[in-house]
Amino acid sequence: MTPGHVAYGMWAAFGLRISAERVTAWEHQEDAPTEDELAALAGALWCAPAELMGEPRTVREYRLARGTALTDVAMRVGMPAAQYREVERSGRWTGDERQAVALADALGMSLRARTELTGRRDRLVALLRSAAGSRWQGYVRPLRKLLPELSGERAEEVLELLNDEFHRRSFSSLSWIDTGSQTAQGSADAGRIFLDGIEEHFWAALDTGQRT
């Protein structure tokens, strides 16, 4: 199909008059269709909106990929439509934890995507860094409050794994025989590098249950 054919299909089936040049601009990623145009474009091409999009990066893109109306998502989340519309416009989540879980369920978000798009990422990283460097048992309940989808057993398993791995990397090259400053510094650097990547280690551990 040429851009002209696509534009005609959108007009014939959905009543949207789009120029062939506009379709070409979409193909070259020089412009982006509106919500109505995306739905019509998907219909003209006999595919789902998600097939025309890359990996969703915002709440709005997740909704468009699902082909769900804004008001329907707001209703499922339990949020006034005006408030939810502002969430999509600003990119700032203003709902509570229960609504965040409902949002992820409505839009098919992964736990990681929900954590990032509802503003929980920085809190998660701070919690994980503290749990890795101290007694992890005290962070099970805060982690489950932040990520209520996790069972208590799974939260314990992952936090213990991260704690063990941090200490293993920090102290593996230290010994009572060799206490040279170079060895000690290397161990400290290994522990710091692990903490710098703690978020990735957490998601990997959560996905696989294996040592990171």
Side-chain angles (χ1 to χ4, degrees):
M1 297 176 68
T2 67
H5 291 147
V6 175
Y8 177 80
M10 293 175 66
W11 170 74
F14 299 92
L16 290 179
R17 290 193 175 276
I18 303 296
S19 68
E21 290 75 19
R22 186 96 185 278
V23 175
T24 299
W26 295 340
E27 290 182 349
H28 294 166
Q29 297 185 353
E30 297 170 352
D31 193 8
T34 66
E35 184 171 341
D36 289 341
E37 290 168 347
L38 179 64
L41 178 63
L45 296 177
W46 292 86
C47 67
E51 296 180 63
L52 302 176
M53 304 172 63
E55 184 68 23
R57 296 166 297 175
T58 66
V59 173
R60 180 176 183 273
E61 289 181 359
Y62 268 94
R63 180 175 62 79
L64 294 181
R66 300 279 287 192
T68 308
L70 183 149
T71 52
D72 290 342
V73 175
M75 183 178 297
R76 289 189 60 180
V77 171
M79 180 181 288
Q83 181 183 352
Y84 178 76
R85 184 176 290 105
E86 180 60 18
V87 166
E88 289 198 358
R89 188 198 67 79
S90 67
R92 186 172 63 88
W93 177 250
T94 56
D96 58 26
E97 296 292 346
R98 179 191 61 78
Q99 290 172 318
V101 173
L103 177 75
D105 182 63
L107 299 183
M109 290 180 179
S110 66
L111 180 57
R112 181 169 187 171
R114 179 183 76 77
T115 302
E116 294 177 355
L117 293 178
T118 58
R120 272 64 176 171
R121 181 180 182 182
D122 290 346
R123 289 163 55 190
L124 174 64
V125 171
L127 186 155
L128 294 175
R129 289 175 66 93
S130 297
S134 61
R135 290 180 59 84
W136 60 266
Q137 293 88 341
Y139 294 91
V140 173
R141 183 173 294 179
L143 178 61
R144 293 198 64 207
K145 183 176 180 180
L146 190 64
L147 305 178
E149 297 92 331
L150 288 184
S151 67
E153 181 180 0
R154 195 74 181 102
E156 290 177 3
E157 178 183 354
V158 174
L159 289 182
E160 183 178 13
L161 185 149
L162 294 177
N163 183 276
D164 288 348
E165 187 68 11
F166 169 71
H167 286 92
R168 184 186 70 80
R169 297 193 187 199
S170 295
F171 303 116
S172 62
S173 59
L174 291 175
S175 69
W176 293 107
I177 298 175
D178 183 2
T179 58
S181 60
Q182 184 174 359
T183 301
Q185 183 60 48
S187 296
D189 288 344
R192 184 166 57 251
I193 290 171
F194 180 79
L195 290 182
D196 287 344
I198 193 70
E199 183 186 11
E200 293 301 324
H201 294 306
F202 170 74
W203 294 119
L206 200 61
D207 287 342
T208 66
Q210 301 298 316
R211 182 172 294 278
T212 60

mmCIF file of all heavy atoms in Angstrom, residues 32-33 35 38 53-68 70 73 84-93 103-104 106-110 112-119:
data_model
loop_
_atom_site.group_PDB
_atom_site.id
_atom_site.type_symbol
_atom_site.label_atom_id
_atom_site.label_comp_id
_atom_site.label_asym_id
_atom_site.label_seq_id
_atom_site.Cartn_x
_atom_site.Cartn_y
_atom_site.Cartn_z
ATOM 1 N N ALA A 32 3.660 12.392 14.551
ATOM 2 C CA ALA A 32 2.966 11.293 15.218
ATOM 3 C C ALA A 32 1.463 11.488 15.090
ATOM 4 O O ALA A 32 0.970 12.615 15.198
ATOM 5 C CB ALA A 32 3.358 11.227 16.690
ATOM 6 N N PRO A 33 0.714 10.422 14.853
ATOM 7 C CA PRO A 33 -0.740 10.540 14.739
ATOM 8 C C PRO A 33 -1.385 10.830 16.088
ATOM 9 O O PRO A 33 -0.844 10.480 17.136
ATOM 10 C CB PRO A 33 -1.161 9.169 14.207
ATOM 11 C CG PRO A 33 -0.101 8.230 14.686
ATOM 12 C CD PRO A 33 1.170 9.026 14.667
ATOM 13 N N GLU A 35 -4.634 10.292 18.758
ATOM 14 C CA GLU A 35 -5.256 9.050 19.216
ATOM 15 C C GLU A 35 -6.267 8.534 18.193
ATOM 16 O O GLU A 35 -6.267 7.338 17.859
ATOM 17 C CB GLU A 35 -5.932 9.281 20.564
ATOM 18 C CG GLU A 35 -6.520 8.038 21.183
ATOM 19 C CD GLU A 35 -6.976 8.265 22.607
ATOM 20 O OE1 GLU A 35 -6.523 9.239 23.228
ATOM 21 O OE2 GLU A 35 -7.794 7.463 23.092
ATOM 22 N N LEU A 38 -4.430 7.285 15.097
ATOM 23 C CA LEU A 38 -3.770 6.002 15.312
ATOM 24 C C LEU A 38 -4.761 4.856 15.199
ATOM 25 O O LEU A 38 -4.479 3.827 14.574
ATOM 26 C CB LEU A 38 -3.096 5.978 16.682
ATOM 27 C CG LEU A 38 -2.383 4.675 17.057
ATOM 28 C CD1 LEU A 38 -1.223 4.411 16.103
ATOM 29 C CD2 LEU A 38 -1.891 4.720 18.502
ATOM 30 N N MET A 53 3.322 0.752 17.137
ATOM 31 C CA MET A 53 4.085 1.505 18.114
ATOM 32 C C MET A 53 5.303 0.711 18.561
ATOM 33 O O MET A 53 5.337 -0.513 18.484
ATOM 34 C CB MET A 53 3.210 1.831 19.342
ATOM 35 C CG MET A 53 1.929 2.572 19.011
ATOM 36 S SD MET A 53 0.826 2.721 20.446
ATOM 37 C CE MET A 53 1.834 3.719 21.536
ATOM 38 N N GLY A 54 6.309 1.418 19.048
ATOM 39 C CA GLY A 54 7.436 0.764 19.686
ATOM 40 C C GLY A 54 7.055 0.385 21.108
ATOM 41 O O GLY A 54 5.887 0.366 21.475
ATOM 42 N N GLU A 55 8.044 0.096 21.935
ATOM 43 C CA GLU A 55 7.788 -0.215 23.333
ATOM 44 C C GLU A 55 7.199 1.008 24.024
ATOM 45 O O GLU A 55 7.768 2.094 23.962
ATOM 46 C CB GLU A 55 9.105 -0.599 24.029
ATOM 47 C CG GLU A 55 8.942 -1.034 25.461
ATOM 48 C CD GLU A 55 8.219 -2.362 25.590
ATOM 49 O OE1 GLU A 55 8.228 -3.148 24.620
ATOM 50 O OE2 GLU A 55 7.652 -2.612 26.669
ATOM 51 N N PRO A 56 6.037 0.878 24.660
ATOM 52 C CA PRO A 56 5.431 2.031 25.334
ATOM 53 C C PRO A 56 6.369 2.622 26.379
ATOM 54 O O PRO A 56 7.033 1.884 27.113
ATOM 55 C CB PRO A 56 4.173 1.449 25.976
ATOM 56 C CG PRO A 56 3.869 0.220 25.182
ATOM 57 C CD PRO A 56 5.203 -0.329 24.782
ATOM 58 N N ARG A 57 6.407 3.951 26.451
ATOM 59 C CA ARG A 57 7.284 4.628 27.408
ATOM 60 C C ARG A 57 6.522 5.504 28.384
ATOM 61 O O ARG A 57 7.099 5.986 29.353
ATOM 62 C CB ARG A 57 8.306 5.493 26.651
ATOM 63 C CG ARG A 57 9.264 4.699 25.765
ATOM 64 C CD ARG A 57 9.996 5.613 24.825
ATOM 65 N NE ARG A 57 9.056 6.270 23.909
ATOM 66 C CZ ARG A 57 9.390 7.195 23.031
ATOM 67 N NH1 ARG A 57 10.653 7.599 22.951
ATOM 68 N NH2 ARG A 57 8.481 7.730 22.230
ATOM 69 N N THR A 58 5.252 5.727 28.126
ATOM 70 C CA THR A 58 4.439 6.570 28.994
ATOM 71 C C THR A 58 3.112 5.877 29.268
ATOM 72 O O THR A 58 2.737 4.921 28.578
ATOM 73 C CB THR A 58 4.164 7.933 28.337
ATOM 74 O OG1 THR A 58 3.342 7.730 27.173
ATOM 75 C CG2 THR A 58 5.467 8.629 27.929
ATOM 76 N N VAL A 59 2.390 6.395 30.267
ATOM 77 C CA VAL A 59 1.066 5.848 30.564
ATOM 78 C C VAL A 59 0.164 5.982 29.340
ATOM 79 O O VAL A 59 -0.583 5.057 28.999
ATOM 80 C CB VAL A 59 0.450 6.565 31.777
ATOM 81 C CG1 VAL A 59 -1.000 6.130 31.983
ATOM 82 C CG2 VAL A 59 1.265 6.285 33.038
ATOM 83 N N ARG A 60 0.217 7.124 28.687
ATOM 84 C CA ARG A 60 -0.617 7.346 27.496
ATOM 85 C C ARG A 60 -0.296 6.329 26.406
ATOM 86 O O ARG A 60 -1.202 5.778 25.772
ATOM 87 C CB ARG A 60 -0.425 8.764 26.968
ATOM 88 C CG ARG A 60 -1.270 9.077 25.734
ATOM 89 C CD ARG A 60 -1.110 10.538 25.312
ATOM 90 N NE ARG A 60 -1.965 10.859 24.197
ATOM 91 C CZ ARG A 60 -1.623 10.684 22.908
ATOM 92 N NH1 ARG A 60 -0.423 10.191 22.601
ATOM 93 N NH2 ARG A 60 -2.470 10.982 21.938
ATOM 94 N N GLU A 61 0.985 6.066 26.165
ATOM 95 C CA GLU A 61 1.356 5.115 25.125
ATOM 96 C C GLU A 61 0.894 3.705 25.467
ATOM 97 O O GLU A 61 0.502 2.939 24.575
ATOM 98 C CB GLU A 61 2.872 5.156 24.903
ATOM 99 C CG GLU A 61 3.337 6.438 24.210
ATOM 100 C CD GLU A 61 4.829 6.462 23.967
ATOM 101 O OE1 GLU A 61 5.522 5.487 24.345
ATOM 102 O OE2 GLU A 61 5.315 7.459 23.412
ATOM 103 N N TYR A 62 0.932 3.348 26.740
ATOM 104 C CA TYR A 62 0.399 2.039 27.133
ATOM 105 C C TYR A 62 -1.092 1.955 26.828
ATOM 106 O O TYR A 62 -1.586 0.928 26.349
ATOM 107 C CB TYR A 62 0.638 1.792 28.624
ATOM 108 C CG TYR A 62 1.928 1.073 28.916
ATOM 109 C CD1 TYR A 62 3.085 1.784 29.219
ATOM 110 C CD2 TYR A 62 1.996 -0.313 28.872
ATOM 111 C CE1 TYR A 62 4.277 1.128 29.476
ATOM 112 C CE2 TYR A 62 3.183 -0.981 29.126
ATOM 113 C CZ TYR A 62 4.318 -0.257 29.427
ATOM 114 O OH TYR A 62 5.503 -0.909 29.671
ATOM 115 N N ARG A 63 -1.813 3.037 27.101
ATOM 116 C CA ARG A 63 -3.260 3.024 26.837
ATOM 117 C C ARG A 63 -3.531 2.943 25.341
ATOM 118 O O ARG A 63 -4.411 2.183 24.898
ATOM 119 C CB ARG A 63 -3.918 4.276 27.428
ATOM 120 C CG ARG A 63 -5.427 4.316 27.192
ATOM 121 C CD ARG A 63 -6.075 5.487 27.881
ATOM 122 N NE ARG A 63 -5.585 6.758 27.390
ATOM 123 C CZ ARG A 63 -5.974 7.331 26.250
ATOM 124 N NH1 ARG A 63 -6.849 6.707 25.462
ATOM 125 N NH2 ARG A 63 -5.498 8.497 25.883
ATOM 126 N N LEU A 64 -2.797 3.722 24.551
ATOM 127 C CA LEU A 64 -3.002 3.696 23.102
ATOM 128 C C LEU A 64 -2.684 2.316 22.530
ATOM 129 O O LEU A 64 -3.369 1.838 21.626
ATOM 130 C CB LEU A 64 -2.136 4.756 22.434
ATOM 131 C CG LEU A 64 -2.475 6.218 22.743
ATOM 132 C CD1 LEU A 64 -1.537 7.154 21.982
ATOM 133 C CD2 LEU A 64 -3.927 6.531 22.405
ATOM 134 N N ALA A 65 -1.638 1.687 23.052
ATOM 135 C CA ALA A 65 -1.268 0.358 22.566
ATOM 136 C C ALA A 65 -2.371 -0.661 22.852
ATOM 137 O O ALA A 65 -2.576 -1.601 22.081
ATOM 138 C CB ALA A 65 0.046 -0.094 23.203
ATOM 139 N N ARG A 66 -3.103 -0.447 23.931
ATOM 140 C CA ARG A 66 -4.207 -1.352 24.270
ATOM 141 C C ARG A 66 -5.481 -1.005 23.525
ATOM 142 O O ARG A 66 -6.436 -1.792 23.508
ATOM 143 C CB ARG A 66 -4.494 -1.279 25.773
ATOM 144 C CG ARG A 66 -3.331 -1.665 26.659
ATOM 145 C CD ARG A 66 -3.164 -3.131 26.809
ATOM 146 N NE ARG A 66 -4.176 -3.730 27.664
ATOM 147 C CZ ARG A 66 -4.109 -4.961 28.136
ATOM 148 N NH1 ARG A 66 -3.084 -5.735 27.835
ATOM 149 N NH2 ARG A 66 -5.063 -5.443 28.919
ATOM 150 N N GLY A 67 -5.524 0.193 22.925
ATOM 151 C CA GLY A 67 -6.720 0.629 22.223
ATOM 152 C C GLY A 67 -7.880 0.892 23.155
ATOM 153 O O GLY A 67 -9.048 0.667 22.793
ATOM 154 N N THR A 68 -7.583 1.362 24.358
ATOM 155 C CA THR A 68 -8.604 1.590 25.376
ATOM 156 C C THR A 68 -8.899 3.073 25.516
ATOM 157 O O THR A 68 -7.985 3.901 25.480
ATOM 158 C CB THR A 68 -8.140 1.031 26.734
ATOM 159 O OG1 THR A 68 -7.739 -0.325 26.569
ATOM 160 C CG2 THR A 68 -9.238 1.114 27.769
ATOM 161 N N LEU A 70 -9.754 6.625 27.221
ATOM 162 C CA LEU A 70 -9.279 7.271 28.441
ATOM 163 C C LEU A 70 -10.287 7.112 29.578
ATOM 164 O O LEU A 70 -9.924 6.805 30.714
ATOM 165 C CB LEU A 70 -8.990 8.743 28.160
ATOM 166 C CG LEU A 70 -8.406 9.585 29.296
ATOM 167 C CD1 LEU A 70 -7.512 10.686 28.731
ATOM 168 C CD2 LEU A 70 -9.493 10.217 30.165
ATOM 169 N N VAL A 73 -10.235 3.626 31.196
ATOM 170 C CA VAL A 73 -9.109 3.400 32.102
ATOM 171 C C VAL A 73 -9.343 4.131 33.419
ATOM 172 O O VAL A 73 -9.122 3.580 34.494
ATOM 173 C CB VAL A 73 -7.780 3.861 31.465
ATOM 174 C CG1 VAL A 73 -6.632 3.725 32.460
ATOM 175 C CG2 VAL A 73 -7.485 3.048 30.212
ATOM 176 N N TYR A 84 -7.225 11.694 35.668
ATOM 177 C CA TYR A 84 -6.447 10.751 34.874
ATOM 178 C C TYR A 84 -5.902 11.403 33.610
ATOM 179 O O TYR A 84 -4.767 11.150 33.207
ATOM 180 C CB TYR A 84 -7.289 9.530 34.512
ATOM 181 C CG TYR A 84 -6.512 8.560 33.650
ATOM 182 C CD1 TYR A 84 -5.543 7.747 34.217
ATOM 183 C CD2 TYR A 84 -6.703 8.521 32.273
ATOM 184 C CE1 TYR A 84 -4.785 6.892 33.433
ATOM 185 C CE2 TYR A 84 -5.956 7.670 31.484
ATOM 186 C CZ TYR A 84 -5.000 6.861 32.066
ATOM 187 O OH TYR A 84 -4.251 6.030 31.291
ATOM 188 N N ARG A 85 -6.697 12.265 32.982
ATOM 189 C CA ARG A 85 -6.234 12.975 31.782
ATOM 190 C C ARG A 85 -4.989 13.803 32.100
ATOM 191 O O ARG A 85 -4.050 13.864 31.316
ATOM 192 C CB ARG A 85 -7.347 13.866 31.240
ATOM 193 C CG ARG A 85 -6.982 14.585 29.933
ATOM 194 C CD ARG A 85 -8.136 15.384 29.382
ATOM 195 N NE ARG A 85 -9.200 14.525 28.878
ATOM 196 C CZ ARG A 85 -10.350 14.319 29.494
ATOM 197 N NH1 ARG A 85 -10.611 14.937 30.661
ATOM 198 N NH2 ARG A 85 -11.259 13.515 28.985
ATOM 199 N N GLU A 86 -4.969 14.420 33.271
ATOM 200 C CA GLU A 86 -3.815 15.211 33.684
ATOM 201 C C GLU A 86 -2.595 14.322 33.934
ATOM 202 O O GLU A 86 -1.457 14.721 33.666
ATOM 203 C CB GLU A 86 -4.145 16.010 34.945
ATOM 204 C CG GLU A 86 -3.013 16.870 35.479
ATOM 205 C CD GLU A 86 -2.535 17.925 34.492
ATOM 206 O OE1 GLU A 86 -3.275 18.242 33.523
ATOM 207 O OE2 GLU A 86 -1.410 18.445 34.694
ATOM 208 N N VAL A 87 -2.823 13.113 34.434
ATOM 209 C CA VAL A 87 -1.728 12.159 34.608
ATOM 210 C C VAL A 87 -1.055 11.887 33.267
ATOM 211 O O VAL A 87 0.172 11.911 33.147
ATOM 212 C CB VAL A 87 -2.239 10.840 35.236
ATOM 213 C CG1 VAL A 87 -1.190 9.738 35.103
ATOM 214 C CG2 VAL A 87 -2.589 11.056 36.703
ATOM 215 N N GLU A 88 -1.860 11.632 32.250
ATOM 216 C CA GLU A 88 -1.296 11.372 30.930
ATOM 217 C C GLU A 88 -0.610 12.607 30.360
ATOM 218 O O GLU A 88 0.438 12.508 29.726
ATOM 219 C CB GLU A 88 -2.391 10.892 29.970
ATOM 220 C CG GLU A 88 -2.898 9.494 30.254
ATOM 221 C CD GLU A 88 -3.640 8.904 29.074
ATOM 222 O OE1 GLU A 88 -3.802 9.606 28.037
ATOM 223 O OE2 GLU A 88 -4.063 7.741 29.154
ATOM 224 N N ARG A 89 -1.197 13.770 30.581
ATOM 225 C CA ARG A 89 -0.621 14.999 30.029
ATOM 226 C C ARG A 89 0.706 15.357 30.687
ATOM 227 O O ARG A 89 1.678 15.694 30.021
ATOM 228 C CB ARG A 89 -1.595 16.165 30.202
ATOM 229 C CG ARG A 89 -1.172 17.454 29.484
ATOM 230 C CD ARG A 89 -1.885 18.663 30.012
ATOM 231 N NE ARG A 89 -1.497 18.948 31.394
ATOM 232 C CZ ARG A 89 -0.357 19.567 31.726
ATOM 233 N NH1 ARG A 89 0.512 19.946 30.802
ATOM 234 N NH2 ARG A 89 -0.077 19.790 32.994
ATOM 235 N N SER A 90 0.749 15.262 32.007
ATOM 236 C CA SER A 90 1.923 15.703 32.753
ATOM 237 C C SER A 90 2.970 14.616 32.956
ATOM 238 O O SER A 90 4.144 14.912 33.195
ATOM 239 C CB SER A 90 1.495 16.242 34.126
ATOM 240 O OG SER A 90 0.974 15.186 34.935
ATOM 241 N N GLY A 91 2.536 13.358 32.884
ATOM 242 C CA GLY A 91 3.453 12.266 33.173
ATOM 243 C C GLY A 91 3.707 12.087 34.653
ATOM 244 O O GLY A 91 4.611 11.342 35.052
ATOM 245 N N ARG A 92 2.914 12.738 35.495
ATOM 246 C CA ARG A 92 3.097 12.649 36.949
ATOM 247 C C ARG A 92 1.917 11.908 37.560
ATOM 248 O O ARG A 92 0.776 12.331 37.439
ATOM 249 C CB ARG A 92 3.218 14.056 37.543
ATOM 250 C CG ARG A 92 3.550 14.066 39.039
ATOM 251 C CD ARG A 92 3.839 15.479 39.510
ATOM 252 N NE ARG A 92 2.669 16.330 39.364
ATOM 253 C CZ ARG A 92 1.732 16.455 40.303
ATOM 254 N NH1 ARG A 92 1.821 15.755 41.434
ATOM 255 N NH2 ARG A 92 0.704 17.260 40.125
ATOM 256 N N TRP A 93 2.212 10.804 38.239
ATOM 257 C CA TRP A 93 1.177 9.981 38.834
ATOM 258 C C TRP A 93 0.668 10.626 40.119
ATOM 259 O O TRP A 93 1.456 11.022 40.985
ATOM 260 C CB TRP A 93 1.703 8.582 39.118
ATOM 261 C CG TRP A 93 0.710 7.692 39.796
ATOM 262 C CD1 TRP A 93 0.754 7.233 41.074
ATOM 263 C CD2 TRP A 93 -0.493 7.154 39.216
ATOM 264 N NE1 TRP A 93 -0.330 6.435 41.337
ATOM 265 C CE2 TRP A 93 -1.123 6.370 40.215
ATOM 266 C CE3 TRP A 93 -1.086 7.256 37.964
ATOM 267 C CZ2 TRP A 93 -2.312 5.696 39.988
ATOM 268 C CZ3 TRP A 93 -2.276 6.589 37.736
ATOM 269 C CH2 TRP A 93 -2.881 5.818 38.729
ATOM 270 N N LEU A 103 -4.090 0.419 37.654
ATOM 271 C CA LEU A 103 -3.613 0.961 36.380
ATOM 272 C C LEU A 103 -2.791 -0.071 35.632
ATOM 273 O O LEU A 103 -2.977 -0.284 34.423
ATOM 274 C CB LEU A 103 -2.767 2.216 36.642
ATOM 275 C CG LEU A 103 -2.132 2.846 35.402
ATOM 276 C CD1 LEU A 103 -3.181 3.594 34.585
ATOM 277 C CD2 LEU A 103 -1.003 3.792 35.794
ATOM 278 N N ALA A 104 -1.867 -0.713 36.345
ATOM 279 C CA ALA A 104 -1.030 -1.725 35.704
ATOM 280 C C ALA A 104 -1.873 -2.867 35.153
ATOM 281 O O ALA A 104 -1.614 -3.383 34.062
ATOM 282 C CB ALA A 104 -0.003 -2.256 36.706
ATOM 283 N N ALA A 106 -5.063 -2.676 34.221
ATOM 284 C CA ALA A 106 -5.878 -2.189 33.105
ATOM 285 C C ALA A 106 -5.075 -2.047 31.822
ATOM 286 O O ALA A 106 -5.597 -2.265 30.725
ATOM 287 C CB ALA A 106 -6.518 -0.846 33.470
ATOM 288 N N LEU A 107 -3.797 -1.683 31.945
ATOM 289 C CA LEU A 107 -2.983 -1.389 30.763
ATOM 290 C C LEU A 107 -1.957 -2.473 30.455
ATOM 291 O O LEU A 107 -1.167 -2.323 29.526
ATOM 292 C CB LEU A 107 -2.276 -0.040 30.940
ATOM 293 C CG LEU A 107 -3.207 1.168 31.110
ATOM 294 C CD1 LEU A 107 -2.388 2.452 31.212
ATOM 295 C CD2 LEU A 107 -4.192 1.264 29.952
ATOM 296 N N GLY A 108 -1.968 -3.554 31.219
ATOM 297 C CA GLY A 108 -1.040 -4.645 30.943
ATOM 298 C C GLY A 108 0.408 -4.277 31.180
ATOM 299 O O GLY A 108 1.302 -4.764 30.481
ATOM 300 N N MET A 109 0.656 -3.445 32.176
ATOM 301 C CA MET A 109 2.027 -3.039 32.490
ATOM 302 C C MET A 109 2.745 -4.117 33.290
ATOM 303 O O MET A 109 2.138 -4.802 34.113
ATOM 304 C CB MET A 109 2.028 -1.762 33.344
ATOM 305 C CG MET A 109 1.604 -0.505 32.655
ATOM 306 S SD MET A 109 1.696 0.857 33.856
ATOM 307 C CE MET A 109 1.192 2.226 32.804
ATOM 308 N N SER A 110 4.034 -4.226 33.074
ATOM 309 C CA SER A 110 4.844 -5.068 33.939
ATOM 310 C C SER A 110 5.019 -4.368 35.285
ATOM 311 O O SER A 110 4.776 -3.159 35.420
ATOM 312 C CB SER A 110 6.221 -5.311 33.312
ATOM 313 O OG SER A 110 6.959 -4.091 33.250
ATOM 314 N N ARG A 112 7.765 -3.668 36.664
ATOM 315 C CA ARG A 112 8.828 -2.669 36.501
ATOM 316 C C ARG A 112 8.293 -1.398 35.865
ATOM 317 O O ARG A 112 8.614 -0.289 36.303
ATOM 318 C CB ARG A 112 9.967 -3.242 35.658
ATOM 319 C CG ARG A 112 11.118 -2.263 35.468
ATOM 320 C CD ARG A 112 12.331 -2.919 34.862
ATOM 321 N NE ARG A 112 13.464 -2.025 34.846
ATOM 322 C CZ ARG A 112 14.698 -2.397 34.526
ATOM 323 N NH1 ARG A 112 14.946 -3.652 34.197
ATOM 324 N NH2 ARG A 112 15.684 -1.519 34.542
ATOM 325 N N ALA A 113 7.492 -1.537 34.819
ATOM 326 C CA ALA A 113 6.925 -0.355 34.161
ATOM 327 C C ALA A 113 6.040 0.425 35.117
ATOM 328 O O ALA A 113 6.081 1.662 35.159
ATOM 329 C CB ALA A 113 6.136 -0.766 32.922
ATOM 330 N N ARG A 114 5.234 -0.287 35.900
ATOM 331 C CA ARG A 114 4.381 0.406 36.853
ATOM 332 C C ARG A 114 5.207 1.174 37.874
ATOM 333 O O ARG A 114 4.891 2.315 38.219
ATOM 334 C CB ARG A 114 3.472 -0.581 37.589
ATOM 335 C CG ARG A 114 2.590 0.099 38.619
ATOM 336 C CD ARG A 114 1.750 -0.866 39.404
ATOM 337 N NE ARG A 114 2.449 -1.598 40.421
ATOM 338 C CZ ARG A 114 2.803 -1.080 41.615
ATOM 339 N NH1 ARG A 114 2.553 0.182 41.893
ATOM 340 N NH2 ARG A 114 3.415 -1.829 42.499
ATOM 341 N N THR A 115 6.272 0.557 38.352
ATOM 342 C CA THR A 115 7.126 1.206 39.338
ATOM 343 C C THR A 115 7.714 2.500 38.789
ATOM 344 O O THR A 115 7.750 3.532 39.470
ATOM 345 C CB THR A 115 8.255 0.256 39.763
ATOM 346 O OG1 THR A 115 7.684 -0.948 40.286
ATOM 347 C CG2 THR A 115 9.144 0.892 40.815
ATOM 348 N N GLU A 116 8.156 2.462 37.544
ATOM 349 C CA GLU A 116 8.775 3.641 36.943
ATOM 350 C C GLU A 116 7.753 4.719 36.613
ATOM 351 O O GLU A 116 7.966 5.907 36.887
ATOM 352 C CB GLU A 116 9.536 3.230 35.678
ATOM 353 C CG GLU A 116 10.735 2.328 35.965
ATOM 354 C CD GLU A 116 11.436 1.875 34.699
ATOM 355 O OE1 GLU A 116 10.936 2.191 33.591
ATOM 356 O OE2 GLU A 116 12.479 1.198 34.802
ATOM 357 N N LEU A 117 6.618 4.317 36.043
ATOM 358 C CA LEU A 117 5.655 5.303 35.543
ATOM 359 C C LEU A 117 4.752 5.875 36.636
ATOM 360 O O LEU A 117 4.046 6.851 36.386
ATOM 361 C CB LEU A 117 4.807 4.676 34.433
ATOM 362 C CG LEU A 117 5.580 4.338 33.159
ATOM 363 C CD1 LEU A 117 4.670 3.668 32.143
ATOM 364 C CD2 LEU A 117 6.213 5.580 32.549
ATOM 365 N N THR A 118 4.775 5.282 37.813
ATOM 366 C CA THR A 118 4.000 5.859 38.909
ATOM 367 C C THR A 118 4.905 6.485 39.971
ATOM 368 O O THR A 118 4.489 6.704 41.107
ATOM 369 C CB THR A 118 3.079 4.810 39.569
ATOM 370 O OG1 THR A 118 3.876 3.718 40.059
ATOM 371 C CG2 THR A 118 2.052 4.292 38.577
ATOM 372 N N GLY A 119 6.149 6.781 39.598
ATOM 373 C CA GLY A 119 7.039 7.546 40.461
ATOM 374 C C GLY A 119 7.601 6.803 41.652
ATOM 375 O O GLY A 119 8.006 7.424 42.638
#
